[in-house]
Amino acid sequence: MSHSSPAHPFARGRRLRSTPALRRLTAQTRLAPADFVLPVFVKQGIDAPVAISSMPGVVQHTMDSLRKTAHEAAEAGISGLMLFGIPGEKDPVGSQADAADGIVNVALQQLRADLGDELVLMADLCLCEYTDHGHCGVVTPAGVVDNDPTLDRYAAVAIAQARAGAHVIAPSGMMDGQVAAIRQALDGGGFPETPILAYAAKYASGFYGPFREAAEGAPQFGDRSTYQMDPPNADEALREVAQDLAEGADAVMVKPALPYLDIITRVADAVHVPVTAYQVSGEYAMVEAAAANGWVDRERAILETLTAIRRAGAGTVLTYWAVEAARLLR
Ligand code: PBG
């Protein structure tokens, strides 16, 4: 039988791949700058940006360098920023998270004054950067993270962040009932229009290592396995998402992204609210480290990871490459 004229015509995948224009025509997933949100770290009491050794290209910002980066982000056409603050002083309850003159609240106010509504300013709501023990909530004398007293702290932080100018409140602490507590606080505090993006399916991941250098929020004892999700579980992610939506979340997040593409897909299939994925610090560090060694083509790898996360079903991607990726897509 001749290969040039098969007896039975068969589908030829290669027909639609033969030129760049055909590949562009048939691409099922497209990336655009508006898909991206840039996480940023602002630190109190420094007079120059501090490089994060495990995340080449990422820094702890001063207020000035943060403002400059925010302008560049707006220029590049990305959708928003996710703000993390690193206070000068830490204490057991994380007082600086809701202090009006706390670094993250000052930064929100400044960026809102600079940019108005040009970028969506998201405030990560957690206590781990602000507590001296590094846990995401207050702890009992026995060293266990105490769920319900933590909710009172989250409620106060949400109000402070909304008052400072956050467009979106994004609780990432994985306490039970956190979305309901924050929704109630925002509604009662004069911010009924402020949406909540819930870190709904957040796993106890080994890929947060570099972030803990960036945000200086590593737990001083124990780990986060009693509140963040266990990596083998998938159904539980759907329960967490359903619970957060029932409590009033407007949008949900899956985190990390690349090792949890199946979770992104299942969540996106199950709900009809915006789904965001967080490409976390360890995902960034892996590609940067391999690229620095010449083991992967850096830009190609970056865009491939972002495409994969969008293909899995995420509408928005939080990524430390947000501005660079947006520029690559120009
Ligand atoms: C705080 C928080 C973490 C990240 C985002 N918010 C760290 C953690 O849970 O330990 C990780 C982000 C990243 O790794 O890029 N709760």
Side-chain angles (χ1 to χ4, degrees):
M1 185 173 56
S2 151
H3 286 281
S4 56
S5 57
H8 302 288
F10 52 90
R12 286 183 179 273
R14 293 183 55 183
R15 280 189 192 121
L16 295 176
R17 296 179 200 135
S18 58
T19 70
L22 271 165
R23 294 195 291 275
R24 190 171 65 227
L25 173 80
T26 54
Q28 219 184 335
T29 307
R30 298 178 199 281
L31 293 177
D35 299 335
F36 307 134
V37 168
L38 177 70
V40 288
F41 306 100
V42 58
K43 182 170 176 168
Q44 189 168 5
I46 52 173
D47 46 26
V50 177
I52 297 158
S53 61
S54 52
M55 300 177 76
V58 178
V59 301
Q60 294 173 324
H61 283 289
T62 64
M63 196 63 67
D64 280 351
S65 70
L66 176 68
R67 293 172 72 185
K68 186 162 164 281
T69 293
H71 279 288
E72 287 168 3
E75 197 104 298
I78 72 167
S79 282
L81 303 177
M82 177 69 80
L83 266 91
F84 296 91
I86 303 130
E89 295 280 320
K90 302 188 186 218
D91 62 29
V93 297
S95 307
Q96 286 298 302
D98 55 324
D101 61 354
I103 183 70
V104 80
N105 296 317
V106 173
L108 284 165
Q109 213 170 3
Q110 183 68 60
L111 293 181
R112 190 70 190 264
D114 286 355
L115 296 162
D117 297 333
E118 208 179 332
L119 285 176
V120 178
L121 300 179
M122 302 181 178
D124 179 272
L125 196 171
C126 195
L127 292 181
C128 59
E129 304 104 89
Y130 304 95
T131 52
D132 49 13
H133 45 72
H135 278 288
C136 299
V138 298
V139 296
T140 65
V144 177
V145 175
D146 208 352
N147 199 87
D148 294 3
T150 299
L151 299 183
D152 295 336
R153 295 289 303 124
Y154 286 4
V157 177
I159 298 278
Q161 292 175 334
R163 192 171 284 148
H167 291 99
V168 173
I169 304 297
S172 68
M174 290 298 281
M175 294 301 124
D176 287 329
Q178 64 182 13
V179 173
I182 291 166
R183 184 71 272 157
Q184 194 183 9
L186 289 172
D187 289 351
F191 300 100
E193 304 296 332
T194 301
I196 296 174
L197 163 58
Y199 286 70
K202 176 173 177 180
Y203 285 84
S205 172
F207 289 95
Y208 304 149
F211 175 93
R212 292 178 186 172
E213 179 190 351
E216 302 179 14
Q220 299 304 302
F221 55 85
D223 59 28
R224 306 211 201 289
S225 315
T226 65
Y227 41 104
Q228 297 180 348
M229 286 179 51
D230 204 20
N233 297 346
D235 292 340
E236 193 184 346
L238 298 179
R239 284 204 300 279
E240 288 280 356
V241 165
Q243 181 66 36
D244 283 359
L245 291 176
E247 290 181 24
D250 300 281
V252 294
M253 195 190 299
V254 174
K255 176 185 174 184
L258 215 49
Y260 296 89
L261 292 178
D262 58 324
I263 307 298
I264 295 172
T265 299
R266 289 183 61 169
V267 169
D269 286 349
V271 302
H272 297 96
V273 297
V275 175
T276 297
Y278 196 146
Q279 180 176 59
V280 302
S281 57
E283 300 178 62
Y284 176 92
M286 275 196 303
V287 173
E288 290 290 346
N293 279 288
W295 296 337
V296 295
D297 174 336
R298 184 173 171 280
E299 290 179 0
R300 189 174 165 187
I302 290 171
L303 292 179
E304 188 172 334
T305 63
L306 294 169
T307 301
I309 295 162
R310 292 267 296 112
R311 190 189 64 231
T316 303
V317 188
L318 267 75
T319 172
Y320 299 97
W321 290 306
V323 173
E324 182 179 356
R327 289 178 180 149
L328 289 174
L329 296 171
R330 284 278 155 100

